[in-house]
Amino acid sequence: MSTAQQPDNKDRPARLTVGVVGAGRVGPTLAASLQLAGHRPVAVSGVSDASRRRAALMLPDVPVVTPEDVLQRADLVLLTVPDDTLPGLVEGLAETGAVRPGQLLVHTSGRYGAKVLDPALRAGALPLALHPAMTFTGTPVDVQRLAGCSFGVTAPEELRLAAEALVIEMGGEPEWIDEEKRPLYHAALALGANHLVTLVAQAMELLRSAGVGAPDRMLGPLLGAALDNALRSGDAALTGPVARGDAGTVAAHITELRRHAPQTVAGYLAMARATADRALAHGLLKPELAEDLLGVLATGTNGAEGDAR
């Protein structure tokens, strides 16, 4: 059942008409959240069959039209397209005269701030950058996950209150990000979230190779505790053979990875070096143990294999 059909929504006064350009996983979710706050989705654009199915699921009865038609119908337009597509889309919409003066134009890219919307600004639009720090599935559960979700907000000073108000209406928490800090902000999120998926997927594959029948059940409690500890304590939460300086164990890991999953060795070495650096800097890794460990990591060899077996 779509979240757009929750009770009492029909009794709320519609304040803004909402359009979505790019029916990926993010746009329909934000539009559905705005609908719950009393706004009215009126148009969505999507090219692929998957996009059209997603729009039908999240925004039933909202017509699928061209991007130009979306801008024609909506007071508030969500530009939810891939980062590399966004600048060209904005320029094209502005050049064709699709942008209307006074129209709220919102993009959800983490990489860009408000300046990417300058072509639309010159056409009279009101530019906002609202990036939800959340991973999306493209299903109604995403609307629930927005509750308490932080949004990276960038906008002209005179639109700051409007941008933050929209985030709050979607159930999120606004966090102001300076224009020039957007790439760094986005890199931090990618490092923490996107790379986490890669690490977890690799760990599950290795556990299957080791004979574990349910690697997800094994990793769930461990990773949940590790994440909670890291968020609470930062580097003080570091544990394991690298933080302890167990060079022999690390060497054995590298040997086994080279044998069974050579594609994971480079990532293991990179993360182990970063972990060793942080453990040293915070006094967790004893300097007298660090030399052998860093030697193993520098060469990526199994020189300590005999001690580890």
Side-chain angles (χ1 to χ4, degrees):
M1 178 177 175
S2 170
T3 54
Q5 295 179 319
Q6 291 187 9
D8 300 329
N9 180 57
K10 62 180 181 300
D11 298 325
R12 298 179 181 176
R15 289 170 291 154
L16 290 172
T17 52
V18 178
V20 179
V21 176
R25 298 180 180 184
V26 179
T29 297
L30 299 189
S33 296
L34 288 168
Q35 186 173 32
L36 293 176
H39 301 288
R40 183 164 61 94
V42 294
V44 59
S45 73
V47 177
S48 69
D49 290 340
S51 295
R52 291 172 178 269
R53 287 194 299 270
R54 194 177 297 115
L57 173 67
M58 302 292 289
L59 301 171
D61 302 322
V62 175
V64 178
V65 298
T66 66
E68 291 78 11
D69 283 340
V70 171
L71 269 72
Q72 181 63 37
R73 301 182 187 198
D75 303 316
L76 166 61
V77 178
L78 302 171
L79 303 179
T80 52
V81 298
D83 290 356
D84 288 349
T85 303
L86 181 61
L89 172 67
V90 175
E91 290 178 3
L93 292 173
E95 289 174 359
T96 60
V99 179
R100 294 186 284 110
Q103 191 170 47
L104 284 165
L105 213 56
V106 177
H107 79 71
T108 59
S109 166
R111 169 186 172 187
Y112 291 108
K115 287 189 179 300
V116 72
L117 298 174
D118 276 355
L121 174 64
R122 291 190 289 270
L126 306 177
L128 308 175
L130 308 180
H131 175 253
M134 178 54 63
T135 183
F136 290 83
T137 65
T139 64
V141 71
D142 293 337
V143 178
Q144 301 169 20
R145 288 178 174 174
L146 287 180
C149 167
S150 292
F151 279 65
V153 177
T154 306
E157 186 62 33
E158 61 271 20
L159 296 177
R160 178 167 180 163
L161 291 179
E164 293 176 343
L166 284 173
V167 170
I168 291 170
E169 285 191 318
M170 289 185 282
E173 297 286 343
E175 186 72 37
W176 191 258
I177 308 295
D178 290 340
E179 180 80 30
E180 65 275 10
K181 296 293 180 64
R182 293 286 293 206
L184 179 62
Y185 151 81
H186 196 225
L189 296 181
L191 182 66
N194 303 150
H195 296 175
L196 175 63
V197 174
T198 301
L199 290 173
V200 173
Q202 287 184 341
M204 288 199 295
E205 289 174 354
L206 293 171
L207 286 173
R208 289 190 191 97
S209 297
V212 175
D216 54 339
R217 289 205 299 269
M218 177 174 283
L219 286 173
L222 173 64
L223 298 185
L227 177 59
D228 184 62
N229 291 342
L231 292 175
R232 291 174 183 272
S233 305
D235 288 297
L238 282 172
T239 62
V242 173
R244 292 193 300 266
D246 291 339
T249 298
V250 171
H253 288 175
I254 296 168
T255 297
E256 289 303 300
L257 292 177
R258 288 195 189 284
R259 182 176 300 157
H260 297 286
Q263 72 279 7
T264 67
V265 172
Y268 180 95
L269 290 172
M271 291 303 300
R273 291 185 190 111
T275 300
D277 289 343
R278 300 189 75 89
L280 267 173
H282 289 82
L284 301 173
L285 175 58
K286 296 179 181 179
E288 60 269 24
L289 297 177
E291 185 174 355
D292 286 347
L293 173 67
L294 293 175
V296 169
L297 295 177
T299 60
T301 64
N302 58 350
E305 182 179 356
D307 297 330
R309 288 181 179 270

